[in-house]
Amino acid sequence: MEQYIIKGGNPLVGEVEIGGAKNAALAILAAAIMSDETVMIDNLPDVNDINVLLDAIAGIGAMVHRVDRHTVKINGKGVTSVDIEYDYIKKIRASYYLLGALLGKYKRAEVALPGGCNIGSRPIDQHLKGFRALGAEVEIEHGKIIAEASRLVGKHIYFDVVSVGATINVMMAAAMAEGLTILENVAKEPHVVDVANFLNSMGANIRGAGTDVIRIRGVQRLHRTEYSVIPDQIEAGTFMFAAAATQGDVTVMNVIPKHLEATTAKLLEIGCEVEEFDDAVRVVSKGRLKCTHVKTLPYPGFPTDMQPQIGVTLALCEGTSTITESIFENRFKYLDELARMGASVKIEGNSATIEGVEKFSGARVSAPDLRAGAALCIAGLAADGITIVDDIVYIQRGYERFEEKLRSLGAVIEKVSTEKEIRKFMLKVS
């Protein structure tokens, strides 16, 4: 099993290039099979989740051609099955987007119930509500979601809760339904807008993505396109908080600053300097930072995927901070690991109280999920001594060349898999 071993104490300094947004790319890849013509998608992140989904798409007969690490061509004309095997689904949650894509195009889909990180309950009831409203019969049998319709017809659908996955999934199905679909109480995240823009580039008629109401006029077919995925706001935010926690000076390149406003606002609150450019943001951290209060909310609020990263940073800030997690109930698992490094934390229900300490001490910790794993690496970079982060397979699901990018900023970090490699690292840095 691979691990990261980190020698902390070095401020991160320099520039880092941000890759394509994983969450946007996963939905866009699923939507690509809705065309019988060749679709080319670039600025894909080369991470495990993307590669697993591409295998699943190829597994049902679609043409998948990897042009290079960040570019793929997909043609859905050869799809021979609408049944997605469990081995693919259990690895990533976003494979449920194949439900909306297959139902929209073929009026039938069979997809195993999704897996992914254990960060809390993530029901798919709003997805199923939307499919049923469009005219599909939906059943869950033997661990599979089976959706089928003789025809899909546009409908006015109001989601009971804001759900990114349901918004995207129902939007995909409605793109090839008959007539007008109106979606209300929708998610507004940048990747929702990116998926809508991608579908429109293939000939869909979707208006209002990024606002409270999305209107979709169904079309009979979708055509070829070339499309570039937006930059990853969560990867960008991770490096921004890494700069803050290590007293560094980092410029994140290839970003859309508008997507980072909630992150930027909190960095300014705790005392960082933030400078915005057209497609870059610079974060400078000088001296000890100040406490603040955070509540995770749907976009444009503070993202739940950034909660562990700010949590690690607040644990080093002067004073008492609080975090209220309103999206996922299991998102505080990393705080138990952080306490092993000297953090002072108390969890009550969906709130955490964090009393800032002056420094962390290196320890062996385990990554409970994707974002928490990246956050514990940040803690290791800011700590005195050596930190070992286990279970980094989670991190590799969502961050491309994570350790390489950190090393380019001056971090002392290596990926190891044996005790011999750990001893070699210890000798090298001692």
Side-chain angles (χ1 to χ4, degrees):
M1 184 175 292
E2 292 182 323
Q3 305 146 311
Y4 283 138
I5 185 166
I6 302 163
K7 182 180 186 298
N10 292 340
L12 298 187
V13 178
E15 297 179 351
V16 62
E17 190 87 11
I18 301 304
K22 175 183 78 86
N23 290 336
L26 289 166
I28 286 170
L29 290 174
I33 67 172
M34 297 175 72
S35 173
D36 283 342
E37 299 179 9
T38 299
V39 171
M40 188 165 79
I41 304 161
D42 66 14
N43 201 36
L44 287 172
D46 184 16
V47 296
N48 290 358
D49 277 17
I50 295 294
N51 298 325
V52 168
L53 186 61
L54 286 172
D55 286 343
I57 290 170
I60 59 173
M63 182 277 284
V64 176
H65 171 59
R66 295 296 294 263
V67 179
D68 56 42
R69 284 176 60 186
H70 302 115
T71 308
V72 67
K73 289 182 178 180
I74 295 174
N75 189 315
K77 188 175 183 178
V79 170
T80 56
S81 171
V82 293
D83 186 355
I84 306 298
E85 294 296 330
Y86 174 70
D87 281 347
Y88 294 119
I89 299 305
K90 68 181 180 181
K91 296 176 184 176
I92 60 168
R93 183 166 181 81
S95 47
Y96 60 31
Y97 289 134
L98 290 168
L99 270 172
L102 291 169
L103 182 62
K105 183 179 180 185
Y106 297 103
K107 307 303 180 277
R108 181 175 172 85
E110 295 183 30
V111 178
L113 286 164
C117 289
N118 182 21
I119 55 175
S121 174
R122 298 191 278 185
I124 59 167
D125 58 313
Q126 297 302 298
H127 304 237
L128 307 190
K129 170 184 173 175
F131 296 151
R132 289 182 177 123
L134 294 174
E137 293 185 7
V138 186
E139 303 293 338
I140 297 178
E141 297 178 1
H142 310 296
K144 275 187 180 180
I145 305 163
I146 302 172
E148 187 170 17
S150 57
R151 55 197 282 251
L152 297 177
V153 181
K155 197 75 177 286
H156 194 142
I157 303 168
Y158 187 94
F159 292 112
D160 300 321
V161 295
V162 175
S163 166
V164 171
T167 300
I168 291 174
N169 231 344
V170 178
M171 182 171 68
M172 286 197 289
M176 297 186 77
E178 299 172 24
L180 177 66
T181 299
I182 299 175
L183 306 181
E184 290 202 63
N185 197 32
V186 292
K188 306 173 188 175
E189 271 72 3
H191 48 290
V192 173
V193 178
D194 207 32
V195 177
N197 289 341
F198 171 71
L199 287 165
N200 284 340
S201 77
M202 290 199 295
N205 185 350
I206 302 170
R207 301 291 179 264
T211 72
D212 294 316
V213 182
I214 298 177
R215 290 177 169 82
I216 306 155
R217 180 74 65 179
V219 298
Q220 289 188 335
R221 59 181 293 276
L222 298 172
H223 55 66
R224 70 177 66 237
T225 190
E226 296 183 7
Y227 195 81
S228 185
V229 178
I230 58 169
D232 195 319
Q233 70 186 94
I234 305 302
E235 184 190 12
T238 299
F239 282 99
M240 291 164 75
F241 277 113
T246 63
Q247 300 288 297
D249 180 347
V250 174
T251 301
V252 293
M253 313 288 289
N254 183 38
V255 298
I256 300 173
K258 175 75 176 172
H259 295 170
L260 299 167
E261 285 180 341
T263 297
T264 297
K266 288 301 173 187
L267 286 165
L268 290 169
E269 279 182 32
I270 63 177
C272 291
E273 299 174 14
V274 181
E275 187 176 2
E276 292 186 358
F277 306 92
D278 287 345
D279 60 353
V281 176
R282 180 186 179 195
V283 177
V284 182
S285 176
K286 298 176 182 176
R288 194 161 181 207
L289 301 173
K290 301 173 292 187
C291 59
T292 193
H293 306 294
V294 182
K295 182 176 183 180
T296 62
L297 291 166
Y299 187 87
F302 192 87
T304 182
D305 277 358
M306 288 304 307
Q307 189 256 96
Q309 298 90 315
I310 195 172
V312 164
T313 307
L314 294 178
L316 292 168
C317 290
E318 188 172 9
T320 303
S321 299
T322 61
I323 300 176
T324 302
E325 174 56 57
S326 69
I327 311 294
F328 295 125
E329 67 270 20
N330 289 350
R331 198 112 228 196
F332 287 136
K333 286 183 176 180
Y334 72 96
L335 289 176
D336 290 335
E337 299 297 303
L338 198 60
R340 295 164 57 83
M341 302 179 69
S344 177
V345 298
K346 181 181 179 182
I347 304 169
E348 292 184 1
N350 69 335
S351 293
T353 302
I354 302 173
E355 188 71 41
V357 297
E358 287 197 19
K359 62 181 180 180
F360 298 141
S361 56
R364 190 162 195 157
V365 295
S366 181
D369 61 71
L370 165 57
R371 305 305 174 183
L376 290 170
C377 289
I378 294 174
L381 294 169
D384 284 347
I386 303 295
T387 296
I388 297 174
V389 181
D390 293 325
D391 297 328
I392 65 169
V393 64
Y394 286 115
I395 302 169
Q396 294 168 335
R397 282 186 47 214
Y399 292 91
E400 180 180 350
R401 299 186 299 109
F402 190 53
E403 71 278 10
E404 292 178 38
K405 290 182 179 183
L406 287 170
R407 280 199 295 269
S408 74
L409 298 172
V412 182
I413 177 173
E414 285 187 16
K415 184 162 48 178
V416 297
S417 55
T418 66
E419 290 298 322
K420 182 178 179 181
E421 289 175 322
I422 291 174
R423 289 194 297 272
K424 183 179 178 182
F425 179 91
M426 303 279 274
L427 283 172
K428 185 170 72 173
V429 300
S430 62

